[in-house]
Amino acid sequence: GQQVKQSSPSLTVQEGGISILNCDYENDMFDYFAWYKKYPDNSPTLLISVRSNVDKREDGRLTVFLNKSGKHFSLHITASQPEDTAVYLCAAGGSNNRIFFGDGTQLVVKP
Amino acid sequence: DAGVTQTPRHEVAEKGQTIILKCEPVSGHNDLFWYRQTKIQGLELLSYFRSKSLMEDGGAFKDRFKAEMLNSSFSTLKIQPTEPKDSAVYLCASSFGGKGAEQFFGPGTRLTVL
């Protein structure tokens, strides 16, 4: 089965609003969680990552929340801008160097 | 510093052909990954090398897909024989290695099999 799941294939948010992207994972041994961003016709690039020893990490307009008991993590983007429009891939991994990606959520920020 | 490079950027093949995709990881990176990206399946792992040793190859892809890494700065992905369902973008990524290391992706090769 799929190790990392993004249940929402798409999300539309008004400019200035908060975008909330969600991700669920299967393996409770995972201890590394990340979000990658992908523009059309470009490759994914790392946005933000967090280890399991924290439940929250902020970086500018981005915040990752980690809920280990629920095997869930999310990415919050405050003051969303049209330039944030992209596909967001969540990823998680454990003891080896392998990480598992979700299928992605297409975020559209409308001006 | 050069990022991950992939060639060719586009490939068109007839059904049944053999094609070879190439990847040069970031210099000094120990881990190399081959992924297939489609709209339906998302990002699927094809192969994973650690210090040139094959650590994992996606079970579903074993029969026609073969990745090799003969030296630390070059990897190939061979698809033989190609089928129309192989049409996708093939991404190569590398990382320093270690748990949770950031993966740097190449620009991808868009393969179309007629």
Side-chain angles (χ1 to χ4, degrees):
Chain A
Q2 203 167 2
Q3 295 279 346
V4 177
K5 295 177 188 173
Q6 293 177 256
S7 54
S8 297
S10 63
L11 173 70
T12 300
V13 171
Q14 208 64 36
E15 183 175 5
I18 298 177
S19 301
I20 300 176
L21 302 154
N22 294 300
C23 190
D24 298 294
Y25 61 94
E26 292 291 319
N27 190 336
D28 54 14
M29 297 300 291
F30 284 165
D31 58 2
Y32 167 82
F33 308 92
W35 287 93
Y36 281 71
K37 183 176 182 179
K38 183 186 175 311
Y39 288 114
D41 298 325
N42 273 17
S43 297
T45 54
L46 179 66
L47 254 187
I48 187 170
S49 65
V50 66
R51 301 279 180 178
S52 60
N53 57 340
V54 296
D55 54 15
K56 177 182 170 181
R57 182 185 171 197
E58 288 183 67
D59 183 1
R61 296 188 295 115
L62 308 177
T63 304
V64 176
F65 292 93
L66 175 61
N67 174 357
K68 287 212 75 180
S69 61
K71 292 193 281 187
H72 175 88
F73 61 108
S74 60
L75 174 67
H76 292 217
I77 307 174
T78 57
S80 299
Q81 300 162 8
E83 308 86 84
D84 296 329
T85 294
V87 173
Y88 290 79
L89 300 163
C90 64
S95 57
N96 62 18
N97 303 351
R98 165 94 148 84
I99 61 174
F100 296 83
F101 286 90
D103 290 341
T105 296
Q106 170 70 61
L107 172 65
V108 175
V109 180
K110 288 192 168 180
Chain B
D1 280 342
V4 177
T5 59
Q6 289 187 249
T7 55
R9 294 294 307 276
H10 301 273
E11 178 81 58
V12 179
E14 298 281 341
K15 179 183 172 182
Q17 269 188 279
T18 296
I19 61 107
I20 297 176
L21 310 181
K22 305 180 183 78
C23 174
E24 295 177 30
V26 174
S27 177
H29 279 189
N30 295 311
D31 287 4
L32 184 140
F33 306 84
W34 282 99
Y35 294 97
R36 182 169 80 171
Q37 182 172 50
T38 63
K39 283 186 178 172
I40 296 172
Q41 300 285 350
L43 212 57
E44 301 170 284
L45 181 74
L46 301 175
S47 293
Y48 160 36
F49 292 88
R50 181 186 302 171
S51 300
K52 300 185 295 177
S53 297
L54 182 64
M55 303 300 293
E56 187 171 341
D57 59 355
F61 299 95
K62 276 183 184 176
D63 57 345
R64 296 183 299 109
F65 291 71
K66 184 177 173 64
E68 290 186 315
M69 196 164 185
L70 298 179
N71 63 59
S72 60
S73 58
F74 185 70
S75 176
T76 58
L77 175 67
K78 181 193 285 187
I79 309 176
Q80 178 185 36
T82 52
E83 297 182 7
K85 65 181 180 181
D86 299 332
S87 297
V89 174
Y90 290 81
L91 293 170
C92 177
S94 70
S95 75
F96 278 112
K99 198 163 50 170
E102 177 181 356
Q103 293 189 16
F104 293 81
F105 285 82
T109 295
R110 182 175 293 278
L111 172 66
T112 303
V113 182
L114 305 174

